[in-house]
Structures are given as C-alpha cells and as structure tokens.
Amino acid sequence: DAGVIQSPRHEVTEMGQEVTLRCKPISGHNSLFWYRQTMMRGLELLIYFNNNVPIDDSGMPEDRFSAKMPNASFSTLKIQPSEPRDSAVYFCASSLGQGGTTGELFFGEGSRLTVL
Amino acid sequence: AQKVTQAQTEISVVEKEDVTLDCVYETRDTTYYLFWYKQPPSGELVFLIRRNSFDEQNEISGRYSWNFQKSTSSFNFTITASQVVDSAVYFCALSESTGGFKTIFGAGTRLFVKA
C-alpha cells in the first residue's frame, strides 16, 4: 500500500517566491497534519484537518502561510511570499481516528525547502 | 494546554548499554494518547508505540520497553542492550481529546550508540 506521498522532495527558491507543497494522505485516513521541522524549533504542528475541515491552524506562523484540503486525497501548504527563515523540512502526516480515538501518524518523507 | 517535555537533548552510550529516554507530559484531559516515534539519520519518522490514558500497563517489544506512569505524568522509553542501529532522534508525542486529537511533539532526544 502507498504511504503518505509528498512533493516536491526538495525545493530551492528565492526569497519572495511562492512555494506550494503537496501531500496525498493514505487512502481512508480522515486526519491530515502539516508539521515543520527545524533544528531550532523541532517539530512544530502548523495545521491539521479532520475530514477535510481545518480544525486548528494556530501553529501557522503568519499570513504568508496557507493550507487547503479540497478533498480527502489531497492537501497543499502554500507560502507566499517565502522568506529565508521558512527554510525547513515540511512533513505531512495522516492518521485514522475512529469513535473519538486517535491513531498513530503516518508520515511522508518530507519536503526540504531552502529559501535563498 | 498540552505540552511534552523531553529534558534530555542528547545521550551517548556504548553498544550493549541500556538507555532510558524520559518523557514528561502535561494535559488537563482525562482521555489522551501518548506516542513514541523514531527519526533515524535518513530523516523519516517512524511510529513505535501508542498508549491511551486508561491503559497504564507497561509494554515490552523486543529490546524496547515503555513505562507509563500517570502519577508522575511520564512515559519513559528504555532500550535494552543498545545497538548502533538504535542511533536516532526519538520523539515523544501527546494527543488530547479536547484538542480534537491534534498531536504535538516533544523536542526530541538524540541518541548516539557507539560501537
């Protein structure tokens, strides 16, 4: 079975450019999470969706960041305009929660973003 | 508010030593889940274990064992007879029911196992 698929795996861009990261969760999973990992801040939860609906976006750094989940099989994280401090590895994860429970997270391989 | 503290930033051991990674959590919920994940040098995040707040039974899986104590809000992870392949960053995580089960992570503990 396919795991969580993220693209691109690596992105190098210049400050001010728009960046779009993509994620395909595991089929049947109803929760999707976007995390950012840096040496300084570790793994930060940016936003998560339940049944395609954003539940908590309090971790989104600022208005330059936006995330969407138009359907159960696709999500995007957009940064516009990008800044050097956005350089990080962005992970997408999905999980299956049933009846008020939470399952473990299945992570994609991450998208390494470098903003010059 | 939920919080996970992994006070040990880095631990270095020699192969075959036992090592315990500490995790302390904070939550106001009575229903929550605790997790451990491993991030080897290759960078992927791998699930190791999940416990719910109503199950304090300790668990053993091969060389890995977990000690969950609600009285001290701790969920510690022990590797017995460590091996070089255990070298990785280990994350403890917490998911609360009132938070919609969002999962937050501790800062991680980097484990070096030397041959």
Side-chain angles (χ1 to χ4, degrees), chain A residues 33 35 37 39 42-43 45 48 50 55-56 58 91 100-105 107-109, chain B residues 31 33 35 37 39 43-45 47 50 91 95 99-107 110:
Chain A
F33 302 76
Y35 289 87
Q37 186 176 34
M39 289 293 294
L43 267 167
L45 176 63
Y48 79 105
N50 206 9
I55 302 300
D56 188 335
S58 59
F91 285 100
T101 67
T102 184
E104 65 268 28
L105 300 180
F107 283 84
E109 293 181 304
Chain B
T31 302
Y33 294 81
F35 304 82
Y37 289 83
Q39 187 174 39
E44 73 272 25
L45 282 148
F47 164 77
R50 178 186 72 162
F91 292 95
S95 176
F101 292 110
K102 71 179 182 182
T103 304
I104 67 160
F105 286 75
R110 185 176 296 275

Side-chain angles (χ1 to χ4, degrees), chain B residues 66-102:
Chain B
W66 291 269
N67 185 331
F68 176 24
Q69 293 198 352
K70 288 176 74 170
S71 61
T72 55
S73 296
S74 65
F75 186 43
N76 296 337
F77 173 29
T78 297
I79 302 175
T80 303
S82 59
Q83 299 177 0
V84 172
V85 293
D86 295 328
S87 297
V89 180
Y90 291 87
F91 292 95
C92 181
L94 167 67
S95 176
E96 292 179 328
S97 61
T98 56
F101 292 110
K102 71 179 182 182

